[in-house]
Amino acid sequence: RRSSDLGQLDGNGYKLLNIYINQPKNNDVGLFQSIDFYTSSYATKDVAPYIKNLVIENADVIGNKNVGILIGNLTYRYNNYNHNFMTYLDNIYVSGTVQSNINTGGLIGRLYFQSNNYNNTFAQNIQLHVTLVPMTNNTYNSAFVERYGLRAL
């Protein structure tokens, strides 16, 4: 699914099991193809976009570029000088295998991050048990995972 306005997704702890996505010629491949998280100074905790309380087990995702189990391509734009309470990804468990030619990530294939508020929490309580399989020598693996101090186990 491609979405410019995700809204709020609470998985309520439900499990998505054995997801298989095989799109080796496509870009932005994942449970969600492309998401733009955007909030402004008018956003409140009740209306801010998020994904939380989600379990994805034994996923197998194959794509060309920007490939992750949860999100293929994520743009995070936060334009709020006054609020420090936004968390966009919270309490998520992901396991499986991801294969791509470029931008291979366990949770997110490609992350574009633009924010003027660095007190904000982008992700917390994330557990990854993911195997990343580059299909060429030109791939960038686990950019999201390494950037935020998380590791694929």
Side-chain angles (χ1 to χ4, degrees):
R1 168 162 154 59
R2 183 172 295 276
S3 174
S4 60
D5 184 17
L6 174 70
Q8 299 174 331
L9 172 65
D10 187 341
N12 292 313
Y14 283 98
K15 293 181 181 181
L16 301 175
L17 303 174
N18 305 314
I19 293 173
Y20 180 67
I21 301 172
N22 185 11
Q23 300 178 356
K25 295 182 181 181
N26 292 349
N27 298 337
D28 302 341
V29 177
L31 184 62
F32 294 93
Q33 290 178 322
S34 183
I35 292 177
D36 187 355
F37 277 150
Y38 175 76
T39 61
S40 70
S41 58
Y42 303 107
T44 66
K45 192 170 189 173
D46 295 332
V47 297
Y50 62 73
I51 299 173
K52 68 179 184 178
N53 303 322
L54 185 63
V55 176
I56 302 172
E57 288 184 2
N58 196 34
D60 189 2
V61 180
I62 302 165
N64 179 50
K65 179 180 176 183
N66 305 334
V67 181
I69 291 175
L70 182 61
I71 304 168
N73 188 9
L74 174 64
T75 300
Y76 172 85
R77 295 180 291 159
Y78 185 77
N79 189 22
N80 186 333
Y81 293 97
N82 301 316
H83 299 95
N84 296 321
F85 53 73
M86 307 294 186
T87 299
Y88 294 93
L89 300 173
D90 187 13
N91 196 31
I92 298 172
Y93 173 90
V94 172
S95 71
T97 302
V98 182
Q99 298 179 53
S100 81
N101 290 311
I102 190 166
N103 295 341
T104 309
L107 190 65
I108 299 169
R110 177 189 175 269
L111 172 64
Y112 174 75
F113 188 86
Q114 177 185 4
S115 176
N116 57 23
N117 184 345
Y118 295 99
N119 295 320
N120 194 36
T121 302
F122 175 74
Q124 64 185 13
N125 303 315
I126 307 295
Q127 295 182 51
L128 301 175
H129 298 271
V130 178
T131 301
L132 304 175
V133 181
M135 298 186 331
T136 67
N137 290 331
N138 296 322
T139 191
Y140 300 99
N141 292 316
S142 67
F144 172 79
V145 174
E146 292 174 10
R147 180 172 181 174
Y148 289 94
L150 304 169
R151 295 289 182 260
L153 303 174

